[in-house]
Amino acid sequence: GLKRWIWGRVLDGDRAATFHLAVARDRSLPDEYHLVEADDSGIREIAVPAPRTSWNRHTLLGLAYPYELRLADDLRLHSPRVIDSAPFYLRVVYRADLAGRECSALCEVAYPHRLRWPILGRMIEMSIDKTALRGPR
């Protein structure tokens, strides 16, 4: 039931943040998002208003990803660089501003409904079958 799903992690010396944002295919359902931070004082979920973003960038295969994603007042991802792309999935490195410090974020974006596309689904099945036939190396 997901239209798209983005998740990622930001690491900065003594602080880390991980998040996910799931967008339902049914527009009447709200987005689901969580932000978790960890530092020397512990691990905690951060209550934030809805993340602010626009899905305004696209891969050659039409997968949208945000140029900027504001997850909290002190966490903003921007300036994306796609490092891997497939018909249903991509990996993106963002520059991140975390509590006034610049660092990097590794994020992944998936479009699960594309796995149901007849040709794409069959190609993935064939890839899995070949992997299983090879066995362990």
Side-chain angles (χ1 to χ4, degrees), residues 88-101:
F88 66 95
Y89 175 86
L90 66 139
R91 287 188 183 102
V92 186
V93 173
Y94 285 89
R95 290 178 61 195
D97 299 325
L98 178 61
R101 295 168 55 176

Side-chain angles (χ1 to χ4, degrees), residues 27-86:
R27 292 182 181 194
S28 69
L29 297 173
D31 294 346
E32 181 180 310
Y33 48 91
H34 294 94
L35 173 62
V36 176
E37 288 187 347
D39 58 21
D40 58 358
S41 67
I43 300 170
R44 65 208 156 277
E45 183 170 358
I46 306 299
V48 295
R52 294 186 306 266
T53 188
S54 63
W55 298 82
N56 54 358
R57 297 293 170 107
H58 295 84
T59 66
L60 292 175
L61 296 173
L63 296 177
Y65 60 97
Y67 177 79
E68 180 179 66
L69 178 58
R70 186 169 293 275
L71 295 159
D73 289 338
D74 66 345
L75 178 54
R76 180 178 75 102
L77 309 182
H78 59 92
S79 306
R81 183 171 53 94
V82 175
I83 58 173
D84 184 27
S85 181

